[in-house]
Amino acid sequence: MEAGDAVARLVRDEGTRVLATLIRVTGSVGLAEDAVQDAVMRALETWPRDGVPDNPRGWLLVTAKRRAVDLFRREAALSLEAQVALALRTLGGLSTAEVARARIPYRVPEAAELPDRLTAAPTRCAPI
């Protein structure tokens, strides 16, 4: 059986179960669908070259789970500030120092601001 036929048969016979498992694991239908679709695409790319694995359903499920983790991290891992800094660095071509200068201006506080800042700091350290 050709690899493309094996993938088509796997999707037809086991695709619903793999998707249901991923929905249960991720809690998101959209994320699970994207992950399974990406895993199927990877199977179509790698199986003709490497051969159909001994456990195609298990391969698809593990690959889809790994992809779901990648997608989840991509969607949830970075704060807005980190996303802006990353965009300035990768898309804008700024160096790390340039990003820091562009985002966080350094200034010495005025003398009138110092008392408020100092009261927030502990005056004594606790004994060790």
Side-chain angles (χ1 to χ4, degrees):
M1 176 184 316
E2 283 190 35
D5 294 336
V7 172
R9 184 175 183 192
L10 176 64
V11 170
R12 183 180 61 247
D13 295 346
E14 301 287 340
T16 304
R17 279 190 255 175
V18 170
L19 180 61
T21 300
L22 230 32
I23 291 170
R24 188 174 60 251
V25 169
T26 65
S28 168
V29 174
L31 182 66
E33 287 175 336
D34 289 346
V36 171
Q37 183 178 13
D38 288 349
V40 168
M41 293 302 295
R42 180 154 303 164
L44 288 169
E45 294 169 356
T46 60
W47 291 8
R49 181 187 66 231
D50 300 340
V52 178
D54 293 335
N55 181 359
R57 181 179 183 271
W59 185 98
L60 187 69
L61 185 57
V62 168
T63 303
K65 281 182 181 180
R66 289 178 180 161
R67 183 61 182 147
V69 168
D70 290 344
L71 292 170
F72 181 75
R73 285 180 182 156
R74 182 175 297 148
E75 290 177 6
L78 295 178
S79 67
L80 181 59
E81 294 81 14
Q83 291 176 28
V84 170
L86 184 60
L88 289 171
R89 177 101 166 94
T90 57
L91 301 175
L94 277 73
S95 70
T96 302
E98 291 170 326
V99 169
R101 280 194 305 272
R103 302 213 53 240
I104 305 169
Y106 176 78
R107 69 175 184 82
V108 177
E110 298 293 328
E113 296 173 356
L114 290 178
D116 289 337
R117 290 180 176 216
L118 292 176
T119 58
T123 56
R124 293 178 27 175
C125 293
I128 297 177

